[in-house]
PDB file of all heavy atoms in Angstrom:
ATOM      1  N   THR A 118     101.675  69.526 127.475  1.00 98.00           N
ATOM      2  CA  THR A 118     102.696  69.049 128.412  1.00 98.00           C
ATOM      3  C   THR A 118     103.900  68.513 127.643  1.00 98.00           C
ATOM      4  O   THR A 118     103.775  68.051 126.504  1.00 98.00           O
ATOM      5  CB  THR A 118     102.135  67.942 129.324  1.00 98.00           C
ATOM      6  OG1 THR A 118     101.667  66.846 128.507  1.00 98.00           O
ATOM      7  CG2 THR A 118     100.977  68.476 130.159  1.00 98.00           C
ATOM      8  N   PHE A 119     105.060  68.568 128.278  1.00 98.00           N
ATOM      9  CA  PHE A 119     106.309  68.115 127.664  1.00 98.00           C
ATOM     10  C   PHE A 119     107.086  67.314 128.693  1.00 98.00           C
ATOM     11  O   PHE A 119     107.359  67.789 129.797  1.00 98.00           O
ATOM     12  CB  PHE A 119     107.123  69.327 127.192  1.00 98.00           C
ATOM     13  CG  PHE A 119     108.458  68.991 126.599  1.00 98.00           C
ATOM     14  CD1 PHE A 119     108.558  68.136 125.508  1.00 98.00           C
ATOM     15  CD2 PHE A 119     109.625  69.535 127.119  1.00 98.00           C
ATOM     16  CE1 PHE A 119     109.783  67.829 124.946  1.00 98.00           C
ATOM     17  CE2 PHE A 119     110.862  69.238 126.571  1.00 98.00           C
ATOM     18  CZ  PHE A 119     110.945  68.389 125.475  1.00 98.00           C
ATOM     19  N   ASP A 120     107.444  66.078 128.321  1.00 95.00           N
ATOM     20  CA  ASP A 120     108.151  65.189 129.253  1.00 95.00           C
ATOM     21  C   ASP A 120     109.637  65.093 128.961  1.00 95.00           C
ATOM     22  O   ASP A 120     110.330  64.216 129.493  1.00 95.00           O
ATOM     23  CB  ASP A 120     107.523  63.792 129.241  1.00 95.00           C
ATOM     24  CG  ASP A 120     107.612  63.118 127.873  1.00 95.00           C
ATOM     25  OD1 ASP A 120     108.252  63.677 126.954  1.00 95.00           O
ATOM     26  OD2 ASP A 120     107.032  62.020 127.719  1.00 95.00           O
ATOM     27  N   GLY A 121     110.145  65.999 128.127  1.00 93.00           N
ATOM     28  CA  GLY A 121     111.537  65.957 127.742  1.00 93.00           C
ATOM     29  C   GLY A 121     111.788  65.200 126.454  1.00 93.00           C
ATOM     30  O   GLY A 121     112.889  65.269 125.889  1.00 93.00           O
ATOM     31  N   MET A 122     110.778  64.489 125.977  1.00 91.00           N
ATOM     32  CA  MET A 122     110.900  63.711 124.749  1.00 91.00           C
ATOM     33  C   MET A 122     109.797  64.035 123.742  1.00 91.00           C
ATOM     34  O   MET A 122     110.044  64.122 122.552  1.00 91.00           O
ATOM     35  CB  MET A 122     110.854  62.212 125.081  1.00 91.00           C
ATOM     36  CG  MET A 122     111.972  61.730 125.976  1.00 91.00           C
ATOM     37  SD  MET A 122     113.576  61.670 125.142  1.00 91.00           S
ATOM     38  CE  MET A 122     113.320  60.281 124.045  1.00 91.00           C
ATOM     39  N   ARG A 123     108.600  64.220 124.239  1.00 91.00           N
ATOM     40  CA  ARG A 123     107.442  64.397 123.357  1.00 91.00           C
ATOM     41  C   ARG A 123     106.512  65.442 123.948  1.00 91.00           C
ATOM     42  O   ARG A 123     106.311  65.511 125.165  1.00 91.00           O
ATOM     43  CB  ARG A 123     106.701  63.067 123.214  1.00 91.00           C
ATOM     44  CG  ARG A 123     105.583  63.052 122.198  1.00 91.00           C
ATOM     45  CD  ARG A 123     106.068  62.896 120.782  1.00 91.00           C
ATOM     46  NE  ARG A 123     104.956  62.739 119.829  1.00 91.00           N
ATOM     47  CZ  ARG A 123     105.106  62.565 118.540  1.00 91.00           C
ATOM     48  NH1 ARG A 123     106.311  62.508 118.008  1.00 91.00           N
ATOM     49  NH2 ARG A 123     104.058  62.431 117.733  1.00 91.00           N
ATOM     50  N   PHE A 124     105.952  66.240 123.073  1.00 98.00           N
ATOM     51  CA  PHE A 124     104.990  67.269 123.458  1.00 98.00           C
ATOM     52  C   PHE A 124     103.583  66.735 123.221  1.00 98.00           C
ATOM     53  O   PHE A 124     103.271  66.243 122.135  1.00 98.00           O
ATOM     54  CB  PHE A 124     105.234  68.534 122.641  1.00 98.00           C
ATOM     55  CG  PHE A 124     104.225  69.626 122.852  1.00 98.00           C
ATOM     56  CD1 PHE A 124     104.050  70.211 124.094  1.00 98.00           C
ATOM     57  CD2 PHE A 124     103.457  70.076 121.785  1.00 98.00           C
ATOM     58  CE1 PHE A 124     103.118  71.230 124.291  1.00 98.00           C
ATOM     59  CE2 PHE A 124     102.532  71.099 121.963  1.00 98.00           C
ATOM     60  CZ  PHE A 124     102.367  71.666 123.215  1.00 98.00           C
ATOM     61  N   GLN A 125     102.733  66.834 124.238  1.00 98.00           N
ATOM     62  CA  GLN A 125     101.347  66.390 124.131  1.00 98.00           C
ATOM     63  C   GLN A 125     100.428  67.614 124.158  1.00 98.00           C
ATOM     64  O   GLN A 125     100.187  68.184 125.224  1.00 98.00           O
ATOM     65  CB  GLN A 125     100.997  65.437 125.274  1.00 98.00           C
ATOM     66  CG  GLN A 125     101.762  64.129 125.252  1.00 98.00           C
ATOM     67  CD  GLN A 125     101.373  63.243 124.076  1.00 98.00           C
ATOM     68  OE1 GLN A 125     100.284  63.369 123.520  1.00 98.00           O
ATOM     69  NE2 GLN A 125     102.263  62.336 123.695  1.00 98.00           N
ATOM     70  N   PRO A 126      99.921  68.048 123.008  1.00 98.00           N
ATOM     71  CA  PRO A 126      99.082  69.244 122.984  1.00 98.00           C
ATOM     72  C   PRO A 126      97.691  68.971 123.549  1.00 98.00           C
ATOM     73  O   PRO A 126      97.124  67.901 123.351  1.00 98.00           O
ATOM     74  CB  PRO A 126      99.012  69.607 121.505  1.00 98.00           C
ATOM     75  CG  PRO A 126      99.208  68.307 120.791  1.00 98.00           C
ATOM     76  CD  PRO A 126     100.127  67.488 121.652  1.00 98.00           C
ATOM     77  N   GLU A 127      97.169  69.961 124.258  1.00 97.00           N
ATOM     78  CA  GLU A 127      95.811  69.901 124.788  1.00 97.00           C
ATOM     79  C   GLU A 127      94.906  70.926 124.117  1.00 97.00           C
ATOM     80  O   GLU A 127      93.687  70.760 124.085  1.00 97.00           O
ATOM     81  CB  GLU A 127      95.840  70.146 126.295  1.00 97.00           C
ATOM     82  CG  GLU A 127      96.677  69.114 127.055  1.00 97.00           C
ATOM     83  CD  GLU A 127      96.996  69.540 128.472  1.00 97.00           C
ATOM     84  OE1 GLU A 127      96.646  70.690 128.839  1.00 97.00           O
ATOM     85  OE2 GLU A 127      97.596  68.746 129.213  1.00 97.00           O
ATOM     86  N   THR A 128      95.500  71.996 123.585  1.00 97.00           N
ATOM     87  CA  THR A 128      94.750  73.077 122.958  1.00 97.00           C
ATOM     88  C   THR A 128      95.496  73.542 121.714  1.00 97.00           C
ATOM     89  O   THR A 128      96.723  73.655 121.734  1.00 97.00           O
ATOM     90  CB  THR A 128      94.599  74.277 123.924  1.00 97.00           C
ATOM     91  OG1 THR A 128      93.907  73.858 125.091  1.00 97.00           O
ATOM     92  CG2 THR A 128      93.831  75.411 123.273  1.00 97.00           C
ATOM     93  N   ARG A 129      94.768  73.802 120.627  1.00 97.00           N
ATOM     94  CA  ARG A 129      95.330  74.417 119.432  1.00 97.00           C
ATOM     95  C   ARG A 129      94.454  75.586 119.046  1.00 97.00           C
ATOM     96  O   ARG A 129      93.245  75.456 118.919  1.00 97.00           O
ATOM     97  CB  ARG A 129      95.406  73.424 118.274  1.00 97.00           C
ATOM     98  CG  ARG A 129      95.937  74.048 116.975  1.00 97.00           C
ATOM     99  CD  ARG A 129      96.068  73.035 115.851  1.00 97.00           C
ATOM    100  NE  ARG A 129      96.676  73.648 114.663  1.00 97.00           N
ATOM    101  CZ  ARG A 129      97.058  72.961 113.579  1.00 97.00           C
ATOM    102  NH1 ARG A 129      96.905  71.638 113.535  1.00 97.00           N
ATOM    103  NH2 ARG A 129      97.610  73.606 112.553  1.00 97.00           N
ATOM    104  N   ARG A 130      95.092  76.750 118.854  1.00 97.00           N
ATOM    105  CA  ARG A 130      94.346  77.951 118.486  1.00 97.00           C
ATOM    106  C   ARG A 130      95.168  78.794 117.519  1.00 97.00           C
ATOM    107  O   ARG A 130      96.393  78.695 117.466  1.00 97.00           O
ATOM    108  CB  ARG A 130      94.028  78.796 119.744  1.00 97.00           C
ATOM    109  CG  ARG A 130      93.034  78.168 120.697  1.00 97.00           C
ATOM    110  CD  ARG A 130      91.635  78.196 120.135  1.00 97.00           C
ATOM    111  NE  ARG A 130      91.111  79.543 120.041  1.00 97.00           N
ATOM    112  CZ  ARG A 130      90.265  80.089 120.903  1.00 97.00           C
ATOM    113  NH1 ARG A 130      89.831  79.389 121.937  1.00 97.00           N
ATOM    114  NH2 ARG A 130      89.816  81.314 120.740  1.00 97.00           N
ATOM    115  N   ARG A 131      94.483  79.671 116.781  1.00 97.00           N
ATOM    116  CA  ARG A 131      95.145  80.662 115.941  1.00 97.00           C
ATOM    117  C   ARG A 131      95.697  81.766 116.844  1.00 97.00           C
ATOM    118  O   ARG A 131      95.021  82.257 117.741  1.00 97.00           O
ATOM    119  CB  ARG A 131      94.146  81.226 114.936  1.00 97.00           C
ATOM    120  CG  ARG A 131      94.719  82.101 113.828  1.00 97.00           C
ATOM    121  CD  ARG A 131      95.732  81.437 112.946  1.00 97.00           C
ATOM    122  NE  ARG A 131      95.460  80.086 112.531  1.00 97.00           N
ATOM    123  CZ  ARG A 131      94.782  79.750 111.438  1.00 97.00           C
ATOM    124  NH1 ARG A 131      94.293  80.683 110.638  1.00 97.00           N
ATOM    125  NH2 ARG A 131      94.599  78.483 111.122  1.00 97.00           N
TER     126      ARG A 131
END
Side-chain angles (χ1 to χ4, degrees):
T118 59
F119 177 57
D120 62 6
M122 298 288 289
R123 187 80 174 181
F124 175 62
Q125 295 292 337
E127 300 165 355
T128 300
R129 178 177 184 172
R130 291 288 292 259
R131 190 60 42 89

